[in-house]
Amino acid sequence: LHLSGAYQLDLEKHGDNRGFFARYYCKDEFEEMGLVSTWIQMNISVSRQKGTLRGLPFQRPPMAEAKVVRCLRGGIWDVIVDLRKGSNTFGKWAGVELNEENRSMIYVPKGFAHGFQALTHNAELLYMHSAPHRQECEGGVNLTDDTLAIQWPLEPTEVSVRDLGLPNLPEVEPIQV
């Protein structure tokens, strides 16, 4: 992606008339690319309503985390925001459509906030995390912040009070990773 260290990961499918086989993750390949290759926690998220917005959370050190996100059912518009101190793309965002058809994933480096909008009802995501969640390390950026000007594809239908209460980008201290 156009944000340093962030990647869209597409499967290399090997198929025939039965279907296909593809590797979802390979530790050696991730290490060769200089990516985090150890996953400590896996989470699942289901958004029942099309248009639901979730995000933009992150974790600060010592629990700053990299993530791999994949949409297993339905579809989402996945967004990441660079919050790394000194990054030449600080405050910039990238969006990628992830869905059950393209089976693409996104690699989210440490120091990024992450969020998404459900493009379908019952969108289901699988996350791999490089660090366990710790409430005391939580942070977030408001997903409706005009400074970011994220172009969400749908009119929001559901947004948590918590997510709407997150600070805008100018109020967020950059993350030292």
Side-chain angles (χ1 to χ4, degrees), residues 70-81:
R70 178 166 177 223
C71 184
L72 300 174
R73 182 175 55 190
I76 65 163
W77 178 248
D78 204 65
V79 172
I80 59 174
V81 179

Side-chain angles (χ1 to χ4, degrees), residues 36-77:
V36 170
S37 63
T38 302
W39 305 104
I40 305 300
Q41 183 172 308
M42 291 178 72
N43 295 328
I44 194 164
S45 169
V46 175
S47 294
R48 301 228 181 272
Q49 183 95 15
K50 178 179 178 178
T52 296
L53 284 178
R54 292 184 182 262
L56 295 156
F58 60 86
Q59 286 202 140
R60 294 194 176 281
M63 293 299 160
E65 61 184 350
K67 298 177 188 174
V68 172
V69 181
R70 178 166 177 223
C71 184
L72 300 174
R73 182 175 55 190
I76 65 163
W77 178 248

